[in-house]
Amino acid sequence: MLNNSHIYHQTLHDLKKRGIDVASVTLNLDNMLVAKDKAVSGPRKSIEHLFKQNKVDYIRGAASFVSPTKVTVELLDGGKSELESNNFVVATGSEVTPFPGGGVQIDEQQIVSSTGALSLQTVPEKLVVIGGGVIGLELGSVWSRLGAEVTVVEFLGGIGGAGIDEEIACVIRLDHSFASGKFKLHTKIIFAEKHNGKVLLHAQSAKGDKDETLEADVVLVAIGRRPYVEGLNLAAAGIELDTKGRIIIDHQFNTSNKNIKCIGDVTFGTMLAHKAEEEGIAAVEYIKTGHGHVNYNAIPSVIYTHPEVSWVGKTEQELKVEGVQYNVGKFNFSANSRAKTNLDYEGFVKIIAEKETDKVLGVHIIGPNAGEMIGEAVLAIEYGASAEDIARTSHAHPTLSEAFKEAAMAAYSKPIHM
Ligand code: NAD
Protein backbone atom coordinates (compact mmCIF):
# COMPACT_ATOMS: atom_id res chain seq x y z
CA MET A 1 0.00 0.00 0.00
CA LEU A 2 2.91 2.34 0.78
CA ASN A 3 4.63 1.61 -2.51
CA ASN A 4 1.53 1.64 -4.71
CA SER A 5 0.03 4.76 -3.13
CA HIS A 6 3.41 6.44 -3.67
CA ILE A 7 3.39 5.47 -7.37
CA TYR A 8 -0.18 6.79 -7.70
CA HIS A 9 0.72 10.05 -5.99
CA GLN A 10 3.86 10.42 -8.07
CA THR A 11 1.93 9.75 -11.28
CA LEU A 12 -0.53 12.49 -10.37
CA HIS A 13 1.89 15.11 -9.07
CA ASP A 14 5.44 14.36 -10.14
CA LEU A 15 5.64 12.85 -13.62
CA LYS A 16 4.89 16.00 -15.61
CA LYS A 17 8.11 17.73 -14.57
CA ARG A 18 10.02 14.63 -15.68
CA GLY A 19 8.66 14.90 -19.21
CA ILE A 20 6.06 12.17 -18.81
CA ASP A 21 2.53 13.25 -19.72
CA VAL A 22 -0.19 10.88 -18.60
CA ALA A 23 -3.61 11.52 -20.11
CA SER A 24 -5.80 10.48 -17.20
CA VAL A 25 -5.08 8.79 -13.90
CA THR A 26 -7.71 7.03 -11.85
CA LEU A 27 -7.40 5.09 -8.65
CA ASN A 28 -8.66 1.52 -8.73
CA LEU A 29 -8.70 0.90 -4.99
CA ASP A 30 -10.22 -2.60 -5.40
CA ASN A 31 -7.22 -3.71 -7.47
CA MET A 32 -4.78 -2.00 -5.11
CA LEU A 33 -6.28 -4.01 -2.25
CA VAL A 34 -6.02 -7.23 -4.28
CA ALA A 35 -2.32 -6.45 -4.87
CA LYS A 36 -1.93 -5.91 -1.11
CA ASP A 37 -3.59 -9.24 -0.30
CA LYS A 38 -1.27 -11.02 -2.76
CA ALA A 39 1.74 -9.29 -1.19
CA VAL A 40 0.68 -10.69 2.19
CA SER A 41 -0.28 -14.23 1.14
CA GLY A 42 2.82 -14.79 -1.05
CA PRO A 43 5.46 -14.68 1.73
CA ARG A 44 3.13 -16.66 4.02
CA LYS A 45 2.98 -19.51 1.48
CA SER A 46 6.77 -19.33 1.02
CA ILE A 47 7.24 -19.78 4.78
CA GLU A 48 4.92 -22.80 4.80
CA HIS A 49 7.06 -24.20 1.98
CA LEU A 50 10.25 -23.54 4.00
CA PHE A 51 8.74 -25.43 6.94
CA LYS A 52 8.14 -28.45 4.67
CA GLN A 53 11.61 -28.22 3.12
CA ASN A 54 13.23 -28.16 6.57
CA LYS A 55 10.99 -30.88 8.02
CA VAL A 56 9.32 -28.56 10.52
CA ASP A 57 5.83 -29.72 11.52
CA TYR A 58 3.35 -26.87 11.18
CA ILE A 59 0.29 -27.30 13.36
CA ARG A 60 -2.44 -24.73 12.70
CA GLY A 61 -4.25 -23.91 15.92
CA ALA A 62 -4.31 -22.07 19.25
CA ALA A 63 -1.87 -23.39 21.86
CA SER A 64 -2.34 -23.36 25.59
CA PHE A 65 0.02 -24.63 28.32
CA VAL A 66 -1.33 -27.39 30.54
CA SER A 67 2.01 -27.94 32.31
CA PRO A 68 5.60 -26.65 31.92
CA THR A 69 6.29 -29.40 29.35
CA LYS A 70 2.95 -29.79 27.61
CA VAL A 71 0.60 -27.71 25.41
CA THR A 72 -2.80 -28.53 24.00
CA VAL A 73 -3.65 -27.14 20.58
CA GLU A 74 -7.20 -26.28 19.55
CA LEU A 75 -6.82 -27.12 15.86
CA LEU A 76 -8.18 -24.66 13.28
CA ASP A 77 -9.50 -27.58 11.25
CA GLY A 78 -11.32 -28.95 14.32
CA GLY A 79 -10.26 -31.26 17.11
CA LYS A 80 -7.39 -31.08 19.58
CA SER A 81 -3.77 -32.11 19.67
CA GLU A 82 -1.19 -32.36 22.45
CA LEU A 83 2.53 -31.62 22.26
CA GLU A 84 5.21 -32.43 24.79
CA SER A 85 8.70 -30.96 24.84
CA ASN A 86 11.52 -29.91 27.13
CA ASN A 87 11.98 -26.75 25.04
CA PHE A 88 9.37 -24.21 23.99
CA VAL A 89 9.87 -20.76 22.42
CA VAL A 90 6.94 -18.36 22.91
CA ALA A 91 6.68 -15.85 20.04
CA THR A 92 3.03 -14.79 20.08
CA GLY A 93 3.64 -11.14 19.16
CA SER A 94 1.47 -8.16 19.93
CA GLU A 95 -1.99 -6.72 19.38
CA VAL A 96 -3.35 -3.19 19.07
CA THR A 97 -3.54 -1.44 22.44
CA PRO A 98 -7.21 -0.73 23.20
CA PHE A 99 -8.05 2.91 23.84
CA PRO A 100 -7.58 3.65 27.57
CA GLY A 101 -10.91 4.02 29.37
CA GLY A 102 -12.79 2.64 26.34
CA GLY A 103 -13.58 6.15 24.99
CA VAL A 104 -12.81 5.11 21.41
CA GLN A 105 -14.11 1.68 20.35
CA ILE A 106 -12.50 0.07 17.30
CA ASP A 107 -15.10 -1.45 14.91
CA GLU A 108 -12.62 -1.96 11.99
CA GLN A 109 -15.12 -0.17 9.66
CA GLN A 110 -15.22 3.50 10.62
CA ILE A 111 -12.94 3.45 13.68
CA VAL A 112 -10.09 1.24 12.59
CA SER A 113 -6.79 -0.15 13.79
CA SER A 114 -3.91 -0.74 11.37
CA THR A 115 -5.73 -3.94 10.32
CA GLY A 116 -8.89 -2.12 9.21
CA ALA A 117 -6.87 0.77 7.76
CA LEU A 118 -5.34 -1.68 5.28
CA SER A 119 -8.77 -2.72 4.00
CA LEU A 120 -10.83 0.49 3.68
CA GLN A 121 -13.10 0.04 0.66
CA THR A 122 -13.24 3.75 -0.24
CA VAL A 123 -10.87 6.67 0.31
CA PRO A 124 -12.24 8.63 3.29
CA GLU A 125 -12.72 12.35 2.75
CA LYS A 126 -11.40 13.17 6.23
CA LEU A 127 -9.18 10.74 8.11
CA VAL A 128 -8.14 11.52 11.68
CA VAL A 129 -5.21 9.46 12.97
CA ILE A 130 -4.86 9.14 16.74
CA GLY A 131 -1.14 8.71 17.48
CA GLY A 132 1.78 10.10 15.48
CA GLY A 133 4.03 7.03 15.85
CA VAL A 134 5.25 4.73 13.09
CA ILE A 135 1.83 3.29 12.18
CA GLY A 136 0.13 6.71 12.25
CA LEU A 137 2.72 8.18 9.90
CA GLU A 138 2.88 5.25 7.50
CA LEU A 139 -0.85 4.61 7.15
CA GLY A 140 -1.61 8.34 7.34
CA SER A 141 0.66 8.87 4.35
CA VAL A 142 -0.96 6.00 2.41
CA TRP A 143 -4.46 7.50 2.65
CA SER A 144 -3.20 11.04 2.23
CA ARG A 145 -1.54 10.07 -1.08
CA LEU A 146 -4.77 8.38 -2.17
CA GLY A 147 -6.66 11.63 -1.61
CA ALA A 148 -7.84 11.76 2.02
CA GLU A 149 -7.48 14.92 4.09
CA VAL A 150 -5.41 13.58 6.98
CA THR A 151 -4.97 15.03 10.46
CA VAL A 152 -2.68 13.33 12.96
CA VAL A 153 -3.40 13.96 16.63
CA GLU A 154 -0.40 13.33 18.87
CA PHE A 155 -0.27 13.60 22.64
CA LEU A 156 3.47 14.35 22.78
CA GLY A 157 5.33 17.35 21.34
CA GLY A 158 6.97 15.27 18.58
CA ILE A 159 6.10 12.55 16.11
CA GLY A 160 7.80 9.39 14.85
CA GLY A 161 7.62 7.29 18.03
CA ALA A 162 10.33 6.32 20.49
CA GLY A 163 14.02 6.61 19.48
CA ILE A 164 13.63 9.09 16.61
CA ASP A 165 16.20 11.90 16.32
CA GLU A 166 14.60 15.19 17.43
CA GLU A 167 15.88 17.12 14.41
CA ILE A 168 14.36 14.55 12.03
CA ALA A 169 11.06 14.54 13.91
CA CYS A 170 10.94 18.33 13.39
CA VAL A 171 11.56 18.00 9.67
CA ILE A 172 8.78 15.44 9.28
CA ARG A 173 6.53 17.64 11.32
CA LEU A 174 7.05 20.66 9.14
CA ASP A 175 6.84 19.46 5.60
CA HIS A 176 7.21 15.77 4.92
CA SER A 177 5.38 12.46 4.71
CA PHE A 178 1.96 13.68 3.80
CA ALA A 179 0.67 15.09 0.59
CA SER A 180 -1.71 17.25 2.57
CA GLY A 181 -1.42 16.01 6.13
CA LYS A 182 -1.38 18.14 9.23
CA PHE A 183 -0.27 17.43 12.75
CA LYS A 184 -1.96 18.43 15.99
CA LEU A 185 0.68 18.02 18.66
CA HIS A 186 0.27 18.19 22.46
CA THR A 187 -3.30 17.01 21.95
CA LYS A 188 -5.11 13.93 23.22
CA ILE A 189 -8.37 12.38 22.15
CA ILE A 190 -10.72 11.71 25.05
CA PHE A 191 -13.62 9.96 23.37
CA ALA A 192 -15.39 9.42 20.07
CA GLU A 193 -19.06 9.37 19.17
CA LYS A 194 -20.82 8.57 15.92
CA HIS A 195 -23.18 11.22 14.56
CA ASN A 196 -24.92 11.39 11.15
CA GLY A 197 -22.46 9.02 9.50
CA LYS A 198 -19.44 10.89 10.88
CA VAL A 199 -17.23 10.36 13.91
CA LEU A 200 -16.92 13.27 16.33
CA LEU A 201 -13.70 13.19 18.29
CA HIS A 202 -13.48 15.11 21.52
CA ALA A 203 -9.94 16.37 21.93
CA GLN A 204 -8.16 18.16 24.73
CA SER A 205 -4.77 19.87 24.93
CA ALA A 206 -2.17 17.75 26.78
CA LYS A 207 -2.21 20.35 29.60
CA GLY A 208 -6.00 20.00 29.82
CA ASP A 209 -6.71 23.73 29.29
CA LYS A 210 -8.27 23.63 25.78
CA ASP A 211 -11.05 21.49 24.29
CA GLU A 212 -12.09 21.02 20.68
CA THR A 213 -14.11 18.64 18.51
CA LEU A 214 -12.74 17.10 15.33
CA GLU A 215 -14.94 15.57 12.66
CA ALA A 216 -13.85 12.53 10.69
CA ASP A 217 -15.23 10.09 8.14
CA VAL A 218 -12.77 7.47 9.36
CA VAL A 219 -10.59 7.34 12.48
CA LEU A 220 -7.37 5.33 12.70
CA VAL A 221 -6.34 4.41 16.23
CA ALA A 222 -2.53 4.00 16.27
CA ILE A 223 -1.61 4.52 19.90
CA GLY A 224 0.71 1.54 20.24
CA ARG A 225 0.68 -2.22 20.51
CA ARG A 226 0.77 -4.50 23.55
CA PRO A 227 2.05 -8.05 24.10
CA TYR A 228 -0.39 -10.78 23.09
CA VAL A 229 -0.68 -13.74 25.47
CA GLU A 230 -4.40 -14.50 25.38
CA GLY A 231 -5.34 -18.14 25.89
CA LEU A 232 -1.72 -19.25 26.45
CA ASN A 233 -2.40 -20.11 30.10
CA LEU A 234 1.12 -19.00 31.08
CA ALA A 235 0.44 -19.66 34.77
CA ALA A 236 0.35 -23.43 34.08
CA ALA A 237 3.93 -23.16 32.81
CA GLY A 238 5.14 -20.84 35.59
CA ILE A 239 5.79 -17.93 33.20
CA GLU A 240 5.62 -14.44 34.72
CA LEU A 241 4.66 -11.08 33.20
CA ASP A 242 5.89 -7.59 34.15
CA THR A 243 3.54 -4.69 34.94
CA LYS A 244 3.27 -3.84 31.22
CA GLY A 245 2.09 -7.37 30.39
CA ARG A 246 5.43 -8.38 28.80
CA ILE A 247 6.81 -11.88 29.40
CA ILE A 248 9.83 -11.49 31.67
CA ILE A 249 13.05 -12.99 30.24
CA ASP A 250 16.73 -13.04 31.16
CA HIS A 251 19.60 -12.27 28.75
CA GLN A 252 19.42 -15.83 27.36
CA PHE A 253 15.69 -15.42 26.52
CA ASN A 254 14.68 -17.73 29.39
CA THR A 255 11.30 -17.00 30.94
CA SER A 256 10.80 -17.58 34.65
CA ASN A 257 10.60 -21.24 33.59
CA LYS A 258 14.09 -22.18 32.31
CA ASN A 259 12.68 -24.69 29.76
CA ILE A 260 10.65 -22.03 28.01
CA LYS A 261 12.22 -19.20 26.04
CA CYS A 262 10.49 -16.15 24.65
CA ILE A 263 11.27 -13.69 21.84
CA GLY A 264 9.76 -10.79 19.86
CA ASP A 265 6.95 -8.31 20.54
CA VAL A 266 5.58 -10.33 23.47
CA THR A 267 8.70 -9.57 25.54
CA PHE A 268 11.03 -6.58 26.07
CA GLY A 269 12.42 -4.20 23.45
CA THR A 270 11.29 -2.63 20.20
CA MET A 271 8.40 -4.28 18.37
CA LEU A 272 10.18 -4.98 15.09
CA ALA A 273 10.11 -8.13 12.94
CA HIS A 274 13.87 -8.08 12.30
CA LYS A 275 14.63 -7.73 16.04
CA ALA A 276 12.43 -10.79 16.70
CA GLU A 277 14.22 -12.66 13.90
CA GLU A 278 17.64 -12.05 15.49
CA GLU A 279 16.25 -13.13 18.86
CA GLY A 280 14.70 -16.29 17.38
CA ILE A 281 18.04 -17.39 15.97
CA ALA A 282 19.92 -16.55 19.18
CA ALA A 283 17.34 -18.39 21.34
CA VAL A 284 17.67 -21.56 19.26
CA GLU A 285 21.48 -21.24 19.36
CA TYR A 286 21.27 -21.09 23.17
CA ILE A 287 19.20 -24.27 23.16
CA LYS A 288 21.54 -26.08 20.72
CA THR A 289 24.96 -24.78 21.77
CA GLY A 290 24.59 -22.79 24.99
CA HIS A 291 25.70 -19.57 23.22
CA GLY A 292 23.81 -16.85 21.37
CA HIS A 293 24.02 -13.11 20.80
CA VAL A 294 21.91 -10.11 19.75
CA ASN A 295 23.45 -6.64 19.52
CA TYR A 296 20.45 -4.47 20.42
CA ASN A 297 22.47 -1.33 19.67
CA ALA A 298 22.69 -2.44 16.04
CA ILE A 299 18.97 -3.02 15.35
CA PRO A 300 17.81 -0.48 12.74
CA SER A 301 14.48 1.35 12.72
CA VAL A 302 12.74 2.49 9.54
CA ILE A 303 9.61 4.55 8.93
CA TYR A 304 8.45 3.77 5.40
CA THR A 305 7.11 7.20 4.51
CA HIS A 306 8.43 9.27 1.63
CA PRO A 307 11.04 10.46 2.22
CA GLU A 308 11.91 7.49 4.41
CA VAL A 309 13.29 7.83 7.90
CA SER A 310 15.83 5.41 9.38
CA TRP A 311 18.18 5.22 12.31
CA VAL A 312 20.47 2.96 14.28
CA GLY A 313 22.48 3.35 17.49
CA LYS A 314 22.33 6.34 19.80
CA THR A 315 20.57 9.69 19.44
CA GLU A 316 22.22 12.97 20.42
CA GLN A 317 19.67 13.25 23.24
CA GLU A 318 20.72 9.87 24.68
CA LEU A 319 24.45 10.70 24.46
CA LYS A 320 23.89 14.01 26.27
CA VAL A 321 22.16 12.15 29.10
CA GLU A 322 25.05 9.62 29.21
CA GLY A 323 27.59 12.48 29.24
CA VAL A 324 29.37 11.17 26.12
CA GLN A 325 31.27 13.77 24.03
CA TYR A 326 30.55 13.45 20.31
CA ASN A 327 30.97 15.00 16.87
CA VAL A 328 28.13 15.31 14.38
CA GLY A 329 28.62 15.06 10.62
CA LYS A 330 25.68 16.03 8.45
CA PHE A 331 25.21 15.96 4.70
CA ASN A 332 22.11 17.19 2.84
CA PHE A 333 20.76 15.18 -0.08
CA SER A 334 20.37 18.53 -1.90
CA ALA A 335 24.18 18.40 -2.37
CA ASN A 336 24.17 14.78 -3.59
CA SER A 337 24.29 14.48 -7.37
CA ARG A 338 22.10 11.37 -7.68
CA ALA A 339 19.39 12.81 -5.43
CA LYS A 340 19.44 16.10 -7.34
CA THR A 341 19.35 14.38 -10.74
CA ASN A 342 16.43 12.24 -9.54
CA LEU A 343 14.59 15.40 -8.37
CA ASP A 344 14.21 13.72 -5.00
CA TYR A 345 16.57 15.46 -2.61
CA GLU A 346 14.75 16.31 0.61
CA GLY A 347 16.49 15.27 3.81
CA PHE A 348 19.93 14.54 5.16
CA VAL A 349 22.30 11.96 6.65
CA LYS A 350 23.57 12.60 10.16
CA ILE A 351 26.42 10.59 11.67
CA ILE A 352 27.30 10.84 15.33
CA ALA A 353 30.84 9.75 16.26
CA GLU A 354 32.57 9.62 19.64
CA LYS A 355 34.77 12.73 20.02
CA GLU A 356 37.81 10.94 21.41
CA THR A 357 37.85 7.79 19.24
CA ASP A 358 35.80 8.77 16.15
CA LYS A 359 33.80 5.53 16.64
CA VAL A 360 30.35 5.69 15.01
CA LEU A 361 27.72 5.77 17.77
CA GLY A 362 24.57 6.60 15.84
CA VAL A 363 23.27 7.28 12.33
CA HIS A 364 20.02 9.10 11.52
CA ILE A 365 18.71 9.53 8.00
CA ILE A 366 15.71 11.19 6.40
CA GLY A 367 15.69 11.03 2.64
CA PRO A 368 15.31 8.90 -0.45
CA ASN A 369 16.06 5.23 0.19
CA ALA A 370 16.95 5.82 3.85
CA GLY A 371 15.66 2.35 4.74
CA GLU A 372 18.22 0.69 2.45
CA MET A 373 21.08 3.04 3.30
CA ILE A 374 20.79 2.29 7.02
CA GLY A 375 22.18 -1.22 6.35
CA GLU A 376 25.58 0.36 5.77
CA ALA A 377 25.33 2.15 9.13
CA VAL A 378 24.29 -1.07 10.91
CA LEU A 379 27.43 -2.78 9.56
CA ALA A 380 29.57 0.17 10.70
CA ILE A 381 28.17 -0.06 14.23
CA GLU A 382 28.35 -3.88 14.33
CA TYR A 383 32.02 -3.81 13.29
CA GLY A 384 32.93 -0.80 15.47
CA ALA A 385 33.91 1.41 12.50
CA SER A 386 35.11 4.98 12.86
CA ALA A 387 33.67 7.83 10.78
CA GLU A 388 37.06 8.01 9.03
CA ASP A 389 36.80 4.30 8.08
CA ILE A 390 33.57 5.09 6.20
CA ALA A 391 34.92 8.35 4.76
CA ARG A 392 37.95 6.52 3.30
CA THR A 393 35.77 3.80 1.73
CA SER A 394 34.96 4.29 -1.96
CA HIS A 395 31.26 4.79 -2.73
CA ALA A 396 30.05 4.59 -6.34
CA HIS A 397 29.26 7.81 -8.18
CA PRO A 398 26.54 8.86 -8.75
CA THR A 399 24.71 7.13 -5.90
CA LEU A 400 22.73 8.27 -2.88
CA SER A 401 25.22 6.41 -0.69
CA GLU A 402 27.80 9.13 -1.37
CA ALA A 403 25.74 11.26 1.05
CA PHE A 404 26.53 8.66 3.72
CA LYS A 405 30.26 8.83 2.96
CA GLU A 406 30.21 12.64 3.01
CA ALA A 407 28.35 12.75 6.33
CA ALA A 408 31.14 10.54 7.72
CA MET A 409 33.70 12.97 6.27
CA ALA A 410 31.86 15.80 8.01
CA ALA A 411 31.94 13.90 11.31
CA TYR A 412 35.73 13.55 11.40
CA SER A 413 36.86 16.39 9.13
CA LYS A 414 35.06 18.10 6.26
CA PRO A 415 32.83 16.93 3.37
CA ILE A 416 34.00 17.62 -0.18
CA HIS A 417 30.70 18.71 -1.72
CA MET A 418 29.26 21.03 0.90
P1 NAD B 1 3.95 4.05 18.69
O1 NAD B 1 4.23 3.71 20.10
O2 NAD B 1 5.06 4.11 17.71
O3 NAD B 1 3.18 5.46 18.62
C1 NAD B 1 1.97 5.72 19.31
C2 NAD B 1 1.81 7.22 19.50
O4 NAD B 1 0.49 7.48 19.96
C3 NAD B 1 2.78 7.80 20.54
O5 NAD B 1 3.52 8.84 19.94
C4 NAD B 1 1.84 8.29 21.66
O6 NAD B 1 2.31 9.45 22.30
C5 NAD B 1 0.53 8.56 20.91
N1 NAD B 1 -0.69 8.49 21.72
C6 NAD B 1 -1.03 7.55 22.65
N2 NAD B 1 -2.26 7.80 23.16
C7 NAD B 1 -2.73 8.91 22.54
C8 NAD B 1 -3.96 9.67 22.62
N3 NAD B 1 -4.98 9.30 23.44
N4 NAD B 1 -4.11 10.77 21.85
C9 NAD B 1 -3.10 11.14 21.01
N5 NAD B 1 -1.92 10.47 20.89
C10 NAD B 1 -1.75 9.36 21.63
O7 NAD B 1 2.82 2.99 18.23
P2 NAD B 1 2.26 2.57 16.79
O8 NAD B 1 2.54 3.61 15.77
O9 NAD B 1 0.85 2.16 17.06
O10 NAD B 1 3.14 1.29 16.47
C11 NAD B 1 3.10 0.15 17.32
C12 NAD B 1 4.35 -0.67 17.21
O11 NAD B 1 4.45 -1.28 15.93
C13 NAD B 1 5.61 0.15 17.43
O12 NAD B 1 6.42 -0.52 18.33
C14 NAD B 1 6.25 0.19 16.06
O13 NAD B 1 7.67 0.21 16.16
C15 NAD B 1 5.75 -1.09 15.40
N6 NAD B 1 5.68 -0.92 13.93
C16 NAD B 1 6.82 -0.68 13.25
C17 NAD B 1 6.77 -0.46 11.88
C18 NAD B 1 8.06 -0.19 11.15
O14 NAD B 1 9.11 -0.58 11.65
N7 NAD B 1 8.05 0.48 10.01
C19 NAD B 1 5.56 -0.46 11.21
C20 NAD B 1 4.40 -0.70 11.93
C21 NAD B 1 4.48 -0.93 13.30
Side-chain angles (χ1 to χ4, degrees):
M1 291 299 281
L2 282 158
N3 189 49
N4 290 347
S5 65
H6 176 61
I7 293 172
Y8 172 70
H9 189 252
Q10 201 172 23
T11 310
L12 277 180
H13 301 289
D14 187 56
L15 292 192
K16 206 171 178 60
K17 67 173 184 252
R18 298 173 189 275
I20 306 167
D21 289 335
V22 180
S24 88
V25 185
T26 44
L27 173 67
N28 186 330
L29 185 57
D30 290 347
N31 282 352
M32 202 179 267
L33 292 173
V34 169
K36 182 262 306 182
D37 289 338
K38 275 193 189 153
V40 175
S41 61
R44 190 168 283 167
K45 282 192 193 119
S46 305
I47 291 169
E48 285 179 20
H49 178 71
L50 283 175
F51 277 160
K52 263 196 201 131
Q53 223 177 20
N54 290 283
K55 300 189 173 52
V56 176
D57 290 335
Y58 170 39
I59 299 162
R60 286 161 36 94
S64 182
F65 282 100
V66 285
S67 80
T69 53
K70 197 190 271 186
V71 294
T72 56
V73 185
E74 199 82 48
L75 299 171
L76 286 191
D77 299 332
K80 267 190 181 185
S81 164
E82 274 194 350
L83 289 170
E84 273 196 85
S85 175
N86 286 330
N87 294 294
F88 285 95
V89 179
V90 177
T92 46
S94 57
E95 63 176 348
V96 172
T97 305
F99 206 84
V104 181
Q105 296 286 342
I106 292 171
D107 58 22
E108 296 298 12
Q109 301 293 323
Q110 203 175 12
I111 302 181
V112 296
S113 71
S114 51
T115 308
L118 285 165
S119 302
L120 297 178
Q121 299 302 308
T122 52
V123 179
E125 213 169 292
K126 280 188 187 168
L127 172 72
V128 172
V129 179
I130 310 178
V134 184
I135 292 179
L137 291 180
E138 289 181 345
L139 287 175
S141 57
V142 163
W143 291 105
S144 174
R145 289 171 195 156
L146 297 181
E149 187 191 322
V150 179
T151 305
V152 177
V153 181
E154 169 55 52
F155 177 71
L156 300 174
I159 56 165
I164 194 167
D165 174 84
E166 274 178 10
E167 202 179 347
I168 288 181
C170 280
V171 181
I172 304 179
R173 193 163 74 210
L174 293 177
D175 52 17
H176 291 274
S177 293
F178 293 82
S180 60
K182 8 179 229 212
F183 298 103
K184 266 188 176 297
L185 301 178
H186 299 292
T187 308
K188 65 177 175 231
I189 299 295
I190 311 290
F191 71 96
E193 59 181 332
K194 291 186 182 163
H195 184 71
N196 285 344
K198 306 271 181 192
V199 183
L200 299 179
L201 289 162
H202 298 271
Q204 196 174 62
S205 62
K207 281 190 197 151
D209 56 350
K210 263 187 248 149
D211 291 305
E212 66 177 307
T213 304
L214 305 171
E215 193 189 86
D217 296 293
V218 172
V219 175
L220 164 60
V221 181
I223 59 168
R225 298 181 65 83
R226 66 176 186 185
Y228 183 75
V229 294
E230 207 182 298
L232 270 177
N233 194 21
L234 296 175
I239 298 176
E240 287 166 20
L241 304 179
D242 74 356
T243 50
K244 291 184 176 164
R246 298 173 296 192
I247 292 181
I248 297 171
I249 55 167
D250 65 15
H251 68 284
Q252 297 188 0
F253 309 101
N254 293 318
T255 62
S256 17
N257 178 334
K258 294 278 179 264
N259 290 330
I260 302 175
K261 294 192 186 291
C262 172
I263 60 149
D265 287 16
V266 73
T267 184
F268 309 131
T270 49
M271 289 185 172
L272 299 171
H274 49 275
K275 171 258 193 190
E277 185 180 335
E278 295 303 315
E279 289 181 336
I281 289 167
V284 172
E285 282 176 341
Y286 270 117
I287 294 171
K288 297 277 283 181
T289 69
H291 308 281
H293 176 69
V294 177
N295 180 358
Y296 288 99
N297 194 42
I299 303 283
S301 294
V302 181
I303 308 181
Y304 296 94
T305 46
H306 186 87
E308 279 180 354
V309 175
S310 64
W311 68 89
V312 65
K314 302 279 185 180
T315 60
E316 284 190 74
Q317 301 90 282
E318 283 167 336
L319 292 172
K320 277 183 192 139
V321 171
E322 290 171 20
V324 176
Q325 302 276 306
Y326 59 86
N327 292 323
V328 172
K330 214 173 133 185
F331 194 82
N332 292 331
F333 282 105
S334 57
N336 171 270
S337 53
R338 179 66 171 268
K340 282 195 80 165
T341 310
N342 284 356
L343 302 177
D344 190 3
Y345 49 79
E346 286 169 300
F348 56 84
V349 180
K350 175 170 164 179
I351 295 187
I352 307 171
E354 192 174 28
K355 204 174 198 112
E356 200 185 336
T357 63
D358 191 37
K359 186 177 171 182
V360 177
L361 300 177
V363 175
H364 303 268
I365 307 172
I366 176 164
N369 238 6
E372 295 292 341
M373 194 180 289
I374 203 69
E376 195 172 347
V378 175
L379 268 182
I381 288 188
E382 188 68 52
Y383 283 84
S386 66
E388 187 175 351
D389 286 331
I390 299 168
R392 291 190 183 278
T393 304
S394 174
H395 285 66
H397 176 80
T399 62
L400 298 170
S401 70
E402 286 173 287
F404 186 71
K405 174 187 165 99
E406 298 232 38
M409 282 181 172
Y412 96 98
S413 172
K414 189 174 167 305
I416 290 181
H417 293 99
M418 211 162 70

